[in-house]
Amino acid sequence: MTILFGVAVFLFWRLAYPFALAYQEQFQLFLFDGDYFCERMAEPGGLARYIAEFLVQFYNNVTFGALVLALLFMLLLVTMGKVVFVGRPERQERFTDTFVLCMIPLLLLWYTMGDESVLLTYVIALELAMAAIILWRRFAPKNTILRWVTMLMMIPLLYWLIGPMVLMVALFLSPWPLAVVALIYAVALILASAWVLPYPLTRLMLGVGYYRFPESLPYALMGLPLLIFLFHWLYRKGYLYWLKSGLLLVGVCILGGLAIPMGFDERKYELIEYDYLVRVNDWQGIIAKAEQKTPDLPMSVSATNLALAMTNQLGDRAFDFYQRGSQGLLPKFERNFATTQLTGEIYFHLGLINTAQRFAFEAMEAIPNYNKSARVVKRLAETNLINGQYKVARKYLQMLEKTIFYRRWAQRTLALVGDEKAIHAHPLYGTLRQYRLQEDFLFSDRELDKICGQLFIHNHQNQMAAQYLLMAPLLDRDIPRFMQYVKVVQNRINYNPRSCQEAIAFAFMQQRQQPPQGIVSQFVLQQMNEFGQIYSRDKSAAELNQFRNTVWYYLMVGK
């Protein structure tokens, strides 16, 4: 049962939510050095947090990440069984019948991990607490005085290693007078530590590293240790012996199958997946996902438009998907990690390197628990390398050398530092160095067309800037402005995608003129005439749906 449970956990995270693993990994920067270890151990629960962050770095490879969670949940299941089913040695033959019951708290934990702010530190602290309970039962002194002295020494140590999860350990101590005193003692330690530690009392009571938002914790996680203790009490009282493992297993499977998916908000994880696909530059994967389900949130629409632009399809396929005006090209600035990071990716690929660097800083400062981010540090190394700030780039790359999964990339990139020829020959950094503007200037993110115009005039090879320049006025339904821009672009490069032809045909139709020969294809003109005839008869005609992917439908009907 333990192995099957582990397989289920592995398949869930590897196949259904691999992007959620990468999302967790990018919120930390685990370094193999003494300072990092001391920094973590200087806070209550530091050992649990250090171990958790060590494991989370393996989420960089989603297969490793899913395996880590599977093994961890299997370990939790085994240790929980040893914690819960103790106290009635004459009935130990029923252990396997009631062992399935331990899956229920783990299903609750699994469900709660659908909240993307639940950190693995809580899981590690729970496992260390149960391990401490098992060790106490095996090695606790028989002498009453020694048992009390050991408890007085153990509780402060455990509090510093695993945080407020020490309360669970105190709850399981025996005999009962010892457990009551241990609980009061542990609470008193937490209250006393608030006087000397730079953390508010609420955060110390809920765990410094259990949840990404410092002063909150889901109620389910608060009650999980109590649920485990309740099962232990019911077992000792003999109330669980009537359970049959077969029926219980079926019930647990049904409960898990129904409840766990409810913990994972579909809309939220859709955005997390888009962010992951942008991070790994899987442009075709983004387009394929958008084709399966039309994106309709600013972040997902922006990711789709970025993918279309990176594959040079924005002018032909933008209106195949839902659009939100020019905000669909560049979302409004919001002080949170996910949207800021995605907006920074757009600026980076456009060639606005300094702006991308600023957004990277903003993204890292927006992390609620004040962690650093490996993804952001990597981007900061890239932007400084492109800008020729080699000392700063070297600083970031040397940080990444102290990691597992970024070490080789950092070492390869360090070879580029100071080597102008190698950077210019690099397929990404060399191109962006040519695209970037040589002088800084202030601009508003609502003036996307002017930004892209500057980039295009600076370098006509910047196709993404050209696509965004022409698409911005179209998405804002500003045809006169579009006509000004399209002349500038077409005078410099041969760029005449479908949306441009449709917009040009529409502009001339408004003036009751025919567009110059050769600019608009006969097929587009024929389609526009058909659309115009239907629209003039009935503005809400169902036949108009055949033109949903055209500029005319977007301008006249909207979608």
Side-chain angles (χ1 to χ4, degrees), residues 420-436:
E420 296 289 333
K421 290 184 178 179
I423 295 174
H424 282 290
H426 194 277
L428 177 61
Y429 306 146
T431 301
L432 292 178
R433 178 170 279 193
Q434 295 174 20
Y435 288 174
R436 72 189 179 106

Side-chain angles (χ1 to χ4, degrees), residues 318-333:
F319 296 99
D320 290 350
F321 307 97
Y322 174 80
Q323 295 294 340
R324 302 180 60 93
S326 57
Q327 291 184 30
L329 297 176
L330 197 66
K332 286 184 177 180
F333 174 77

Side-chain angles (χ1 to χ4, degrees), residues 76-86 95 99 102 130:
L76 284 168
L77 186 59
V78 172
T79 52
M80 194 178 298
K82 293 182 178 296
V83 166
V84 171
F85 303 116
V86 170
F95 178 83
F99 182 69
C102 288
M130 291 192 294

